[in-house]
Amino acid sequence: MSSFEAFEIFEKQIGTSFQNKDLMAQALTHKSYAFENLQGQGYNERLEFLGDAVLNLALAQELMVVFPQDEEGALSKKRASLVNETVFAEQAKVLNLGDFLRLGKGEIASGGLLRPRILASTYEAVVGAYFLEFGYEKTCELIRTHFGPRVQAISQRSNFEKDFKSRLQEFVQGQYKVTPDYLVISEAGPPHARVFVSEVTIGERKWIGEGSSKKISEQAAAESALAEFEKTQTVEVQPEKK
């Protein structure tokens, strides 16, 4: 299949037609392909940068509409559960972007078409290209179509704010590709007033929480970890040594 034929199929996939075919081609071109075939020109990182900004703005606007009573902090937490690599990569898979992405031979050989980072970046680039081609309002419509079910799922989670374990897992999987591990490290007190202390480990980092049950202590540990991530946005996580 030629690139032109692939792009035509892609247009049908997203339900529209680009007038600027070069823009669409750029959105679907990874730099590895560009450096192998295009003298390093016309790859999608600039569009990725733009698409990330558009997604952040459009989803912030949508969340304000859907959750009119939420304050800034609550809205930021909900947006963080949507604007991350894991979610963007999943959306790329829904659109079968891997079928249209132009990758270099080395990236293909190393499994690049399956890498969440590459898929997520391609989705951001497509959104950036869509914005340049059709403008903000139509791009918002596209994003609402893609994210509607996820926003609806958040609205149905009455305990979203206090479900620290789920929020922490979404965050660290999206940012660091690791999963939090929980362990009860102590249990003390009489039967009617037990105190559990749990530890959550992310890479080589650990946080502690305590409560009157295992579940509560794990939520407390997750809350502590999440608070540090959300406060600094620069927590360094190294893979746990085997």
Side-chain angles (χ1 to χ4, degrees), residues 122-238:
T122 303
Y123 177 69
E124 290 173 319
V126 166
V127 170
Y130 199 95
F131 170 78
L132 291 177
E133 180 80 0
F134 300 105
Y136 181 67
E137 291 304 322
K138 285 192 174 182
T139 306
C140 283
E141 292 176 9
L142 180 75
I143 292 170
R144 279 194 293 270
T145 299
H146 291 173
F147 284 84
R150 294 182 184 275
V151 173
Q152 183 63 25
I154 291 175
S155 69
Q156 292 173 351
R157 284 169 61 182
S158 59
N159 66 336
F160 179 85
E161 291 299 313
K162 295 184 178 181
D163 188 1
F164 299 107
K165 287 184 66 176
S166 294
R167 286 169 46 204
L168 178 64
Q169 179 162 323
E170 289 172 354
F171 181 84
V172 298
Q173 284 184 334
Q175 296 296 320
Y176 303 108
K177 306 299 178 297
V178 296
T179 300
D181 290 320
Y182 293 87
L183 177 68
V184 176
I185 58 176
S186 73
E187 180 181 345
H192 65 280
R194 302 296 284 173
V195 176
F196 294 80
V197 178
S198 288
E199 176 182 84
V200 59
T201 301
I202 302 172
E204 294 184 335
R205 297 291 307 277
K206 300 179 186 296
W207 292 263
I208 301 294
E210 67 175 50
S212 58
S213 70
K214 174 184 174 183
K215 181 177 180 180
I216 292 173
S217 66
E218 288 179 346
Q219 286 284 359
E223 180 181 9
S224 179
L226 191 62
E228 184 174 350
F229 280 109
E230 292 180 339
K231 180 180 180 179
T232 67
Q233 297 294 312
T234 58
V235 176
E236 184 176 352
V237 170
Q238 298 292 338

Side-chain angles (χ1 to χ4, degrees), residues 31-87:
K31 65 180 178 181
S32 61
Y33 182 93
F35 280 95
E36 286 183 13
N37 300 278
L38 305 172
Q39 291 77 51
Q41 302 297 313
Y43 55 95
N44 62 12
E45 287 188 355
R46 286 170 58 85
L47 291 173
E48 172 194 344
F49 167 79
L50 177 60
D52 177 69
V54 173
L55 281 157
N56 269 279
L57 178 58
L59 287 169
Q61 181 179 358
E62 181 69 6
L63 289 170
M64 288 185 68
V65 171
V66 176
F67 303 99
Q69 304 304 318
D70 277 7
E71 299 293 337
E72 177 189 3
L75 290 168
S76 294
K77 291 177 177 67
K78 290 180 172 68
R79 183 176 60 177
S81 74
L82 299 171
V83 181
N84 60 68
E85 183 176 303
T86 298
V87 173

